[in-house]
Amino acid sequence: MKKITLLLLVFTMLFFSCNDDLDDTIRPATTVELSDFVYRGLNYWSLYKDQVPELANDFFSNDGEKFDYLSQFASVEDAFDALTAPVDRFSILRDDYTELENSLAGIRTASGMNISLLIMPNDPTRAFGIVRYVVNDSPAAIAGVQRGMIFTLVDGQPLQDATGQPIDGNTSFSSFFSPESYTISTATFNGTDFDLTGEEIVINKIQLIINPLHTVNVLSVGGNEIGYLHYTGFTNEFDSDLNNAFAEFQAAGITDLVLDLRYNGGGSIETANDLSSMITGQFEGQTFITQEYNSDRNPENQFTRTFNNNLGSGDDGATINSLGLSRVFILTTGRTASASELILSGLDPYIEIIQIGTNTVGKFEGSFLLYDAPTPGFRRSEANPNHRYVMLPLVLKSVNANGLTDYFDGFTPDIEIAEDFTNYGQLGEQGEPLLDAAIDVILNGRSNAQYNTTIQPSYYDTEQQDPLYQRMIVDQLDID
């Protein structure tokens, strides 16, 4: 009994120290204190709480037992891993919330060069880089980097594991691309091997504010006005820009829209809701998706999002520029996830979706930031000043108007086309294979064209370094 009492006293002291005033002496948070934050957050909000026995409300008979459990972890990361359900592929814990907050605002420390690393055709121990796109007005764009550019060396070194072993999913390339500045050596592919061009490009990183509207274009083809949007992230700070792009589509009188989400890993649910309303406009007030939480939080926090005519969640936002379309072409790859998939799911009950590309990731769950603050809000304004850890756990799942959810395997394209580094084409221009397939359908109906379906696995993508990689974000709930 004395042991339990003593442990309870220690645990209570640690708990209440979380609420020290900002004027108090700042001290590093202990591992147990951090682990308790993880426990409280996941116990309250985790979507998959019922799949982790220790998160059950009655698992511990008293705080002393819970303290004993949390004391076993050598790090808060270990506690987080132990309390995250195996089915949960996307919840994250970070040690500096400023990084996540900046990412939510579209701010990154980056060069603007978006790449994939593929294995060399004749050497399984080495990789080469292919540039997928370059952020507008970024250091990489200024340096002359372009989509489809190939490079085989970074700072004069081949892209391979230090041990020289064959490349697989465990091979790390972060050391090549983590410096603030590095040099790539460009090459050409002769059909069997790579030849260095002699060109070397210095790649510098800066703090970038990335506008996700990468390419907005209207193509006049065969008497048709076709809108094209390459959209790289659902960043709500640029919702007005997105709405303005649809005003351009309206003014051009487009009859079809090609929405390119091939490299879009997600972002704001609210922005996805607004984008779907821009594409349509004729379904105001009807269900877009319903957000469902764990059994403890439902039905109190369950929320249905509807198609609307104003930006944001209220009626005071700018009027949405809607196209009133009855079909949309969506370009996808294995990097299309989360809020991007929400467009596919949310629109499917209402209009025809022609998906072109390859299979999407399969993420239907959403998150919001949990700071080490009192339950239930876990708000930034009340965060423990002794550390900057933050969680972005899965807290909800999306359900469309027809009840579709749990699409773990992603969405399968209607027309399967895999990207081929030897034939990338330019985004938004004829000659790019995925866009050409959409134009073929627009002009000729469903064609019998034979497309490349061989997927070239990527062993490193720029997005993997993004703190919000494949996340779907909802605003913090207004709860007390």
Side-chain angles (χ1 to χ4, degrees):
M1 177 65 74
K2 288 182 179 180
K3 179 182 178 183
I4 293 176
T5 303
L6 178 59
L7 289 173
L8 181 58
L9 175 62
V10 172
F11 187 83
T12 302
M13 291 172 65
L14 288 171
F15 176 80
F16 280 106
S17 69
C18 295
N19 296 315
D20 288 345
D21 293 334
L22 291 175
D23 294 334
D24 292 346
T25 301
I26 301 298
R27 57 164 183 76
T30 66
T31 298
V32 172
E33 188 176 356
L34 293 170
S35 298
D36 179 57
F37 154 53
V38 167
Y39 184 89
R40 290 186 300 109
L42 296 180
N43 167 262
Y44 198 87
W45 282 114
S46 173
L47 177 64
Y48 297 113
K49 172 180 177 176
D50 62 350
Q51 298 188 29
V52 181
E54 291 82 0
L55 292 179
N57 297 334
D58 59 356
F59 186 83
F60 300 109
S61 60
N62 55 59
D63 285 340
E65 285 188 8
K66 185 172 75 168
F67 177 79
D68 284 342
Y69 172 76
L70 296 176
S71 296
Q72 71 178 300
F73 298 111
S75 69
V76 63
E77 288 79 10
D78 289 343
F80 181 79
D81 291 342
L83 293 168
T84 303
V87 72
D88 184 343
R89 300 174 291 165
F90 300 104
S91 289
I92 58 173
L93 172 75
R94 292 290 183 267
D95 61 5
D96 187 351
Y97 48 65
T98 58
E99 182 183 27
L100 280 175
E101 291 169 345
N102 285 340
S103 294
L104 285 168
I107 302 170
R108 310 282 195 280
T109 299
S111 69
M113 183 176 70
N114 186 288
I115 65 169
S116 279
L117 296 188
L118 312 178
I119 294 179
M120 285 194 168
N122 299 315
D123 188 349
T125 70
R126 293 180 61 182
F128 67 95
I130 180 75
V131 178
R132 299 185 301 183
Y133 71 92
V134 181
V135 174
N136 299 325
D137 302 318
S138 66
I142 295 169
V145 179
Q146 297 179 7
R147 172 174 166 82
M149 187 173 281
I150 295 170
F151 61 94
T152 57
L153 304 176
V154 173
D155 287 333
Q157 300 300 311
L159 291 159
Q160 61 185 18
D161 186 84
T163 63
Q165 296 299 309
I167 292 169
D168 60 23
N170 296 317
T171 305
S172 174
F173 294 98
S174 59
S175 62
F176 290 96
F177 303 104
S178 57
E180 295 299 302
S181 179
Y182 56 87
T183 300
I184 61 171
S185 300
T186 65
T188 58
F189 183 63
N190 60 27
T192 57
D193 207 348
F194 297 90
D195 300 313
L196 288 171
T197 65
E199 179 184 27
E200 294 188 343
I201 302 176
V202 177
I203 305 298
N204 295 309
K205 295 180 183 178
I206 63 171
Q207 192 172 74
L208 278 177
I209 299 177
I210 300 176
N211 187 329
L213 283 84
H214 179 263
T215 304
V216 181
N217 198 10
V218 176
L219 298 93
S220 299
V221 184
N224 294 272
E225 299 298 308
I226 303 169
Y228 172 88
L229 170 62
H230 177 226
Y231 189 56
T232 63
F234 290 78
T235 311
N236 56 19
E237 278 76 10
F238 294 93
D239 286 355
S240 293
D241 293 45
L242 182 61
N243 201 32
N244 291 338
F246 275 76
E248 293 180 29
F249 292 149
Q250 280 183 336
I254 70 167
T255 55
D256 283 284
L257 174 67
V258 180
L259 177 61
D260 194 341
L261 301 176
R262 73 181 78 189
Y263 309 129
N264 190 319
S268 166
I269 295 178
E270 183 66 54
T271 298
N273 195 163
D274 287 346
L275 176 54
S276 294
S277 296
M278 294 173 195
I279 294 168
T280 56
Q282 64 270 43
F283 305 111
E284 182 185 6
Q286 297 189 53
T287 296
F288 173 56
I289 57 105
T290 298
Q291 298 170 190
E292 293 186 356
Y293 296 79
N294 67 40
S295 57
D296 287 347
R297 307 282 74 82
N298 258 11
E300 180 182 0
N301 294 295
Q302 182 172 309
F303 178 66
T304 296
R305 293 182 177 273
T306 60
F307 292 92
N308 56 83
N309 286 334
N310 299 92
L311 287 179
S313 57
D315 295 330
D316 54 350
T319 300
I320 283 177
N321 298 312
S322 299
L323 300 179
L325 297 176
S326 58
R327 74 173 179 181
V328 62
F329 295 83
I330 300 182
L331 310 185
T332 67
T333 66
R335 295 298 178 227
T336 304
S338 202
S340 288
E341 292 174 292
L342 205 60
I343 301 295
L344 292 159
S345 171
L347 286 177
D348 183 65
Y350 300 98
I351 66 174
E352 181 184 11
I353 297 175
I354 300 176
Q355 182 186 345
I356 299 172
T358 51
N359 212 77
T360 65
V361 170
K363 182 176 183 293
F364 50 89
E365 306 105 330
S367 307
F368 53 67
L369 292 174
L370 296 186
Y371 299 88
D372 185 3
T375 308
F378 296 91
R379 292 187 176 90
R380 171 77 147 83
S381 60
E382 301 174 287
N384 182 351
N386 301 324
H387 68 88
R388 288 190 173 183
Y389 272 92
V390 68
M391 284 192 293
L392 194 63
L394 298 182
V395 301
L396 64 91
K397 69 177 182 178
S398 63
V399 184
N400 80 358
N402 289 342
L404 175 66
T405 187
D406 296 354
Y407 39 87
F408 289 99
D409 296 328
F411 290 98
T412 302
D414 301 287
I415 301 173
E416 185 179 7
I417 308 176
E419 288 200 299
D420 180 357
F421 78 91
T422 66
N423 183 30
Y424 251 28
Q426 294 303 310
L427 296 172
E429 298 180 11
Q430 288 183 265
E432 192 283 303
L434 275 66
L435 175 56
D436 279 357
I439 293 173
D440 189 18
V441 174
I442 293 169
L443 298 183
N444 306 311
R446 302 276 179 164
S447 74
N448 294 318
Q450 297 298 308
Y451 297 109
N452 169 54
T453 58
T454 302
I455 297 175
Q456 298 161 322
S458 175
Y459 290 88
Y460 174 93
D461 291 310
T462 305
E463 295 98 321
Q464 291 174 232
Q465 307 308 307
D466 192 318
L468 295 179
Y469 178 58
Q470 296 184 345
R471 312 297 171 203
M472 182 159 63
I473 311 299
V474 64
D475 291 338
Q476 200 87 1
L477 294 182
D478 185 15
I479 50 180
D480 297 319

